[in-house]
Amino acid sequence: MTLQSDSSLTRLFTPRSIAVVGASATPGKIGAMPVSLLRQHGYDGRILPINPRADSIQGLPAAPDLAALDTDVDLVILAVPAAHAAQALQSARPGQVGGAVVFTSGFSETGAEGVAMQEALCAIARERGIRLLGPNCLGYMNVRHKVYATFSPAPANGAVALGGIGMVSQSGAFGAYAYCMARERGLGLSHWISTGNEADIDVADCINWLAHDADTRVIMAYMEGCRDGAKLRGALAAARDAGKPVVVTKIGRTQAGAQAAASHTAALAGDDAVYDALFRQYGALRARSIEDFFNLGYALDTWQQRPQGKRLGIFTISGGVGALMADEAEEAGLSLPEPDAAAQARLLERVPFAGPRNPVDVTGQVVSEPGLLLATADDMLADGRYDALAVFLAAAGSSEALWPTFETFAREMRARHPDVPLAFCALFPPERRRELERLGTLVFEDPSAAIRTIGAVAGLAAALGATSNGSTDGISKAASEASSHTSMPPVAASTEPLRDTYNEVQAMDVLRQAGLPVPDCTLATDADTAVAAAARAAGPVVLKVVSPDILHKSDVGGVKLNLSGEDAVRHGHAAILDSVRTHCPTARIDGVLVAPMAPKGVECIVGMHSDPVFGPVVMFGLGGVFVEVLNDVSFRLAPFGHAQALSMIREIKGYALLQGARGAPPCDINALANALVALSRFADARREDFSSVEINPLLALPDGQGVLALDAVLIPSAGRS
């Protein structure tokens, strides 16, 4: 679901009055910093120090407790020991306080006693309608309104510029570091929020609020875990619907990282592959390093017009660096179309030793012929074959003599080609860099970082297109995602009671009712029934043992392929039973499945498992070694639509095999996507009934012939009623 804006958070994050409980005049004390920062940066609302042992704090009249105030308070900052926090909040009159920021540590992150104190604090807040940020957090800053509800010393050493980036972090230490990095890089922030223990307000709440905030254009988030998967999905959907890109650094990508995150925050780390799927599904960009985190935020905020595709033009004065950038572009999934033949000819006529293909190398001639820069770029972009342009200028950027050329180039490019965002790779002095950025031009010192950033941002349009109303598959955003379950046709209810276990035939029947393509088959309890079923098939058949106790039938001799004629079927039936009884003497045997031999196709595997945070998650991959050894799989959170299904099919490394390799015909990708959509809808509708589904193989037939689910395992949820 897409979440609505929360007015209670608006009151908390844009307060007109702030009370600081535990306010101090002693420099360095936790209660002194917010009062100092609010006054230092010119907050124009009321500042109300609370301290029972002082009549005034930093020149402001102090009250002994909240009850002694003669006014309601939008925000209370609690800078007192954990044992006193609940009592301090309880002293307020009912309805007096809108929200509270709790700096203090010593709550749920410390163990059972801290958990109890945190629950007591939350109970008081819930009873009085008070929203809590924290505890154990660094607070927040609203840069436009000069609200510094934090004890971090970072803004005391210089305020960050006002801008369009809303930044939220579960970690206070990372958040403070990120604030300083943003200040050093010249990134402008609208808000900076640290969520700490997330007793009430979590990262998802903040992302959702920032998605509705008029001052925020880009959202940057640092995450260690998530407790409410549905709320995070809704928040990312809200940002997507508002057209505000989200950049996420999510730690815990490895087992060691996940364990460290859990021990630090006591939050569920979850399965990293599921987080990856979540971010892909909602068009959030995942940053794998701090450098990427800031590069992506910088690019998304600076480029008001972002690339609408992955066609990159590279324009360089160095052939070697151009080749390096081309290598990076290929790895980043960018294409490098050549300029029009006539444009190449015109460049060679002007500079015979130039490299006219993409990368376009004009050599150092641009130094002696300044007009060459704009003329060549104009020629490259004249016919609309590029979605972005990257220009490498080496050390020429530091030349005072050439600065007018570069500044004019950036200005004219914005005027003449507003739909083609520009990035410079050069060594510009800081003031020159800032001037180019004001013109909407990215500036990088490292050309490799520039190309990686462009690649990530260029992929955003396609990712968002998979869930937009204008998606080419004709499925609405609400239907293709989870934002409106009611808009999707309902999954037909099962006519049979739930079972404790399902054999293959029973599992296939359930999936058939869910719309999965299942072949006709017969459960034979004796050899005569198997022979009769084979005769009806009018062709070769496959026999498979049916047992709820045997998952890997081939390993125990439980499968016979390509059988024709009564004798072959009888012999195969007997051989299966003998082998299974030898290998698994205690296994329950329900019979032998008889089905027509499937035609040739590409074996795929699809499945569903229930994630403890996000619920049902659908997997897709190629069968055999691709899934068992190479782990070449993709995931999406259920339910989803056709466009997302196509995306997950295309992102596996083995996709070329489905397109047709070494003379094989292309597979029916559309039918494969339909099967994934059907499984996702079934998984969502029956999430309380089944914890796991596996269809292996799901046979992808040649284009136009569909797909077939040839084997299935269905695991009921534990403890269901």
Side-chain angles (χ1 to χ4, degrees):
M1 59 180 176
T2 302
L3 304 179
Q4 300 298 313
S5 182
D6 192 326
S7 59
S8 66
L9 295 190
T10 300
R11 183 180 180 190
L12 184 151
F13 289 133
T14 57
R16 298 305 305 149
S17 55
I18 303 174
V20 183
V21 179
S24 173
T26 305
K29 281 203 168 185
I30 192 173
M33 187 62 77
V35 178
S36 298
L37 290 173
L38 288 166
R39 302 187 73 197
Q40 174 186 340
H41 293 288
Y43 172 66
D44 62 1
R46 290 189 68 185
I47 305 172
L48 306 165
I50 305 295
N51 190 318
R53 293 184 296 275
D55 294 327
S56 67
I57 300 290
Q58 299 188 36
L60 298 171
D65 56 27
L66 291 170
L69 296 177
D70 61 357
T71 182
D72 290 346
V73 183
D74 291 327
L75 173 65
V76 169
I77 297 174
L78 294 179
V80 294
H84 303 303
Q87 179 183 355
L89 201 58
Q90 196 166 26
S91 70
R93 297 185 300 276
Q96 182 183 19
V97 174
V101 171
V102 188
F103 292 161
T104 318
S105 59
F107 287 94
S108 65
E109 78 280 3
T110 63
E113 184 177 350
V115 168
M117 286 195 296
Q118 184 165 305
E119 289 176 350
L121 181 66
C122 289
I124 294 170
R126 283 193 300 269
E127 175 190 343
R128 301 184 176 216
I130 299 170
R131 300 305 306 270
L132 285 180
L133 184 65
N136 187 31
C137 76
L138 274 182
Y140 78 88
M141 302 175 228
N142 180 328
V143 181
R144 179 175 296 280
H145 295 282
K146 301 176 182 177
V147 179
Y148 289 83
T150 181
F151 66 94
S152 170
N157 300 323
V160 74
L162 173 63
I165 296 176
M167 188 176 288
V168 55
S169 172
Q170 286 181 322
S171 164
F174 180 88
Y177 175 76
Y179 178 92
C180 295
M181 285 285 290
R183 184 179 60 206
E184 295 305 310
R185 291 199 55 166
L187 298 186
L189 301 186
S190 59
H191 303 272
W192 176 95
I193 308 169
S194 163
T195 59
N197 286 8
E198 300 188 341
D200 172 22
I201 299 167
D202 61 13
V203 162
D205 290 312
C206 296
I207 291 173
N208 179 64
W209 186 80
L210 291 168
H212 294 90
D213 174 55
D215 294 331
T216 299
R217 295 188 301 271
V218 177
I219 301 168
M220 297 176 67
Y222 172 89
M223 293 183 58
E224 296 173 345
C226 172
R227 296 184 181 93
D228 189 334
K231 187 162 66 171
L232 182 57
R233 290 184 74 172
L236 293 175
R240 176 202 62 196
D241 296 349
K244 297 183 181 182
V246 179
V247 180
V248 183
T249 290
K250 163 66 177 67
I251 66 168
R253 290 187 286 123
T254 64
Q255 185 177 2
Q259 290 171 348
S263 64
H264 179 54
T265 66
L268 291 169
D271 182 348
D272 191 66
V274 177
Y275 281 98
D276 232 17
L278 169 74
F279 300 143
R280 288 176 186 270
Q281 197 160 335
Y282 288 91
L285 296 179
R286 185 170 188 178
R288 303 284 176 167
S289 68
I290 292 176
E291 179 189 20
D292 288 345
F293 184 66
F294 284 99
N295 283 345
L296 290 171
Y298 163 66
L300 290 166
D301 191 49
T302 302
W303 269 349
Q304 298 302 302
Q305 175 64 42
R306 300 171 193 128
Q308 295 303 298
K310 295 189 174 185
R311 304 169 303 168
L312 176 66
I314 298 177
F315 184 11
T316 176
I317 64 173
S318 164
V321 176
L324 170 68
M325 295 169 74
D327 289 342
E328 292 282 359
E330 182 174 345
E331 291 184 5
L334 297 165
S335 65
L336 300 174
E338 289 191 13
D340 176 72
Q344 294 189 46
R346 284 190 290 272
L347 175 60
L348 288 174
E349 183 178 349
R350 191 166 183 173
V351 185
F353 43 86
R357 304 171 69 182
N358 194 9
V360 174
D361 177 18
V362 294
T363 74
Q365 186 70 16
V366 72
V367 175
S368 57
E369 194 177 344
L372 182 62
L373 193 67
L374 186 57
T376 304
D378 268 340
D379 229 5
M380 288 179 67
L381 303 179
D383 59 357
R385 67 179 62 199
Y386 298 106
D387 299 302
L389 183 66
V391 180
F392 178 71
L393 297 172
S398 59
S399 168
E400 281 294 319
L402 290 174
W403 165 247
T405 297
F406 300 144
E407 193 268 347
T408 299
F409 176 73
R411 193 178 301 279
E412 288 298 316
M413 283 291 294
R414 183 174 184 179
R416 301 184 192 188
H417 307 283
D419 295 334
V420 183
L422 174 66
F424 274 141
C425 307
L427 298 174
F428 285 106
E431 65 278 8
R432 302 301 193 199
R433 174 180 180 139
R434 286 191 291 271
E435 177 60 28
L436 291 170
E437 290 166 347
R438 281 192 288 270
L439 293 171
T441 299
L442 300 184
V443 181
F444 290 89
E445 293 183 358
D446 178 3
S448 295
I451 299 300
R452 288 195 300 270
T453 303
I454 294 169
V457 175
L460 189 59
L464 293 176
T467 56
S468 69
N469 283 324
S471 60
T472 56
D473 63 355
I475 295 178
S476 72
K477 173 168 49 188
S480 64
E481 299 305 322
S483 52
S484 177
H485 290 194
T486 57
S487 67
M488 301 179 68
V491 174
S494 174
T495 58
E496 297 183 2
L498 293 172
R499 303 173 183 270
D500 293 329
T501 59
Y502 286 79
N503 64 34
E504 179 184 348
V505 175
Q506 294 161 344
M508 297 278 267
D509 187 56
V510 171
L511 295 176
R512 182 186 290 108
Q513 292 182 55
L516 274 295
V518 176
D520 292 331
C521 58
T522 300
L523 178 61
T525 55
D526 55 50
D528 289 340
T529 307
V531 169
R536 291 193 299 272
V541 296
V542 56
L543 304 186
K544 295 188 288 183
V545 67
V546 177
S547 168
D549 301 323
I550 300 173
L551 294 181
H552 301 290
K553 304 174 181 66
S554 298
D555 293 349
V556 297
V559 179
K560 299 296 180 183
L561 302 175
N562 207 29
L563 302 180
S564 297
E566 179 178 347
D567 290 344
V569 172
R570 288 188 183 276
H571 178 76
H573 183 274
I576 284 175
L577 295 181
D578 289 343
S579 180
V580 169
R581 286 166 181 156
T582 299
H583 289 88
C584 303
T586 62
R588 292 167 291 172
I589 299 176
D590 296 336
V592 173
L593 180 146
V594 183
M597 279 293 296
K600 289 185 178 180
V602 175
E603 291 191 0
C604 302
I605 180 172
V606 300
M608 179 279 291
H609 78 276
S610 184
D611 182 83
V613 175
F614 295 102
V617 179
V618 174
M619 176 199 72
F620 170 76
L622 297 185
V625 67
F626 292 95
V627 67
E628 293 175 2
V629 178
L630 301 181
N631 197 29
D632 183 20
V633 293
S634 60
F635 296 91
R636 290 295 186 275
L637 280 61
F640 51 80
H642 196 81
Q644 282 294 333
L646 288 174
S647 294
M648 67 188 296
I649 292 168
R650 290 167 179 156
E651 69 192 39
I652 65 169
K653 299 180 182 68
Y655 176 57
L657 294 177
L658 295 170
Q659 292 179 293
R662 304 179 76 93
C667 293
D668 197 332
I669 305 295
N670 190 58
L672 199 54
N674 288 339
L676 286 168
V677 172
L679 179 60
S680 83
R681 293 178 55 231
F682 168 78
D684 179 59
R686 306 290 298 275
R687 63 173 59 214
E688 301 300 326
D689 298 333
F690 299 106
S691 63
S692 177
V693 179
E694 183 173 297
I695 302 173
N696 185 19
L698 178 67
L699 190 68
L701 301 175
D703 192 23
Q705 298 181 30
V707 297
L708 283 173
L710 300 184
D711 200 349
V713 176
L714 199 60
I715 307 297
S717 299
R720 60 177 172 78
S721 57

